[in-house]
Amino acid sequence: MIIGCSASQKLAASVADLLDDRLCPVETRKFPDGERYIRVKGEVDGEVTVVQSTGSPQDENLMELLFMMENLKDLGADYVRAVIPYFGYGRQERRFKSGEAVSARIVARLLEAAGADEIITVNLHENCLSEFFTVPVTELSAMPLIARHISFLDDPVIIAPDKGAMGHAREVSSILGCECDYMEKVRLSPETVETRVRDLDVEGMDAVVVDDIISTGGTIVNAAGILRNCGASSITVCCVHPVLVEDALLKIFSAGVERVIATDTLKSEVSEISVAPLIAEAIK
Ligand code: R5P
């Protein structure tokens, strides 16, 4: 049985469809004071998969997932699999400054305490997040789906907007059989990044910037400016998780990017690649 929580309803339905599984009706709403209400409207037993991304509003979506899992166990499920396509709070995986809460570890502990027997997720921001869990964690990569989706480009070159994204760029470029390169980025604050200009061999080529997350868009805006100066003939941007804070998309298009392509781990205007087949295959 598949359960879709409010942040991932369509994705849950697609996964259920691909697996020919039952999509259990649920009621999720808020009380007038803002507190969350959850009701499972079906018989619960055996193995249950809950699909819920924990992007914005992170606290509400996380709370809903925790309520759902605990409730399912209480209603008779003996195995609860949490599919968390976008793992919110995943960027605070350590204490960068003294006194900070290691939010990703706290979330992992909460998920287990609520009854998660297994976690399936897509492109974690930091691979070490899986070490915070004692239950099995499967991290799927959406890069092959992205590579297939952009295979129409004539002369692509894949660019990682920072060294950390180089693994993603390599994964895509090896599937497409093209070159890849990276940029050097320094993050000055959560909102500001500085990207050093390196000589990139992209003249007359279709540059494709590949990253795991687009949040404020600052990283991509910088990358696009450099690629234009280096003579790229077109700029496409692909990411797994379109967090897209406020006017991020507008900033990216204004910077001369032709296309922004993302997956549906989070709902957005550019979520054109579905990770449902990836998740369904992993559950199988
Ligand atoms: C950073 O390490 C990530 O891979 C992304 O590059 C980053 O999260 C993007 O953030 P923003 O869109 O705010 O520059």
Side-chain angles (χ1 to χ4, degrees):
M1 183 169 84
I2 309 282
I3 292 209
C5 288
S6 52
S8 304
Q9 299 170 48
K10 187 166 172 237
L11 187 53
S14 307
V15 171
D17 193 41
L18 288 168
L19 291 172
D20 210 10
D21 266 351
R22 182 160 61 100
L23 182 67
C24 180
V26 292
E27 189 181 342
T28 59
R29 60 179 168 86
K30 277 190 214 170
F31 285 107
D33 62 356
E35 289 184 358
R36 214 73 178 162
Y37 173 90
I38 297 287
R39 183 172 164 229
V40 176
K41 293 155 113 182
E43 281 303 304
V44 177
D45 60 5
E47 184 183 308
V48 184
T49 298
V50 185
V51 186
Q52 169 82 323
S53 273
T54 50
S56 178
Q58 292 84 348
D59 300 347
E60 287 186 16
N61 288 330
L62 177 62
M63 199 51 94
E64 191 181 299
L65 176 59
L66 297 172
F67 282 12
M68 185 59 83
M69 290 193 302
E70 208 279 340
N71 190 29
L72 288 168
K73 278 273 168 82
D74 200 40
L75 291 171
D78 41 48
Y79 190 89
V80 174
R81 178 185 295 112
V83 175
I84 311 172
Y86 173 72
F87 192 97
Y89 287 112
R91 282 181 284 175
Q92 183 86 38
E93 86 290 355
R94 61 192 155 103
R95 195 163 276 134
F96 298 94
K97 290 187 199 147
S98 64
E100 285 180 347
V102 183
S103 323
R105 190 177 57 207
I106 298 170
V107 168
R109 288 175 179 168
L110 286 171
L111 291 167
E112 286 198 20
D117 294 298
E118 179 192 349
I119 308 286
I120 296 181
T121 186
V122 183
N123 292 99
L124 287 169
H125 184 63
E126 296 291 342
N127 308 94
C128 68
L129 294 190
S130 53
E131 290 161 21
F132 294 148
F133 289 92
T134 61
V135 297
V137 177
T138 304
E139 181 191 357
L140 306 169
S141 173
M143 295 304 155
L145 296 176
I146 289 178
R148 233 173 290 146
H149 199 80
I150 56 168
S151 57
F152 65 92
L153 290 169
D154 283 337
D155 193 12
V157 54
I158 312 299
I159 304 292
D162 54 39
K163 267 194 187 161
M166 195 52 185
H168 304 314
R170 273 206 203 96
E171 208 180 328
V172 173
S173 69
S174 67
I175 294 169
L176 292 175
C178 65
E179 293 298 316
C180 67
D181 208 336
Y182 68 93
M183 293 179 175
E184 274 180 39
K185 181 183 97 178
V186 192
R187 182 165 289 283
L188 306 175
S189 75
E191 297 80 25
T192 328
V193 288
E194 196 176 277
T195 310
R196 294 213 187 98
V197 180
R198 277 181 70 230
D199 207 13
L200 296 167
D201 193 10
V202 297
E203 175 96 47
M205 298 175 86
D206 295 314
V208 182
V209 185
V210 174
D211 210 347
D212 59 341
I213 296 173
I214 302 176
S215 181
T216 64
T219 300
I220 298 300
V221 167
N222 289 359
I226 293 171
L227 290 169
R228 279 267 169 256
N229 287 338
C230 291
S233 67
S234 75
I235 303 171
T236 298
V237 171
C238 301
C239 76
V240 180
H241 309 297
V243 172
L244 300 175
V245 175
E246 292 167 358
D247 57 350
L249 261 187
L250 213 51
K251 286 196 275 189
I252 292 170
F253 284 120
S254 312
V257 169
E258 270 90 351
R259 306 173 201 90
V260 181
I261 298 167
T263 80
D264 58 356
T265 59
L266 293 170
K267 288 180 263 188
S268 81
E269 282 179 72
V270 293
S271 300
E272 49 186 270
I273 304 174
S274 181
V275 293
L278 204 63
I279 292 170
E281 198 52 43
I283 294 173
K284 245 195 245 172

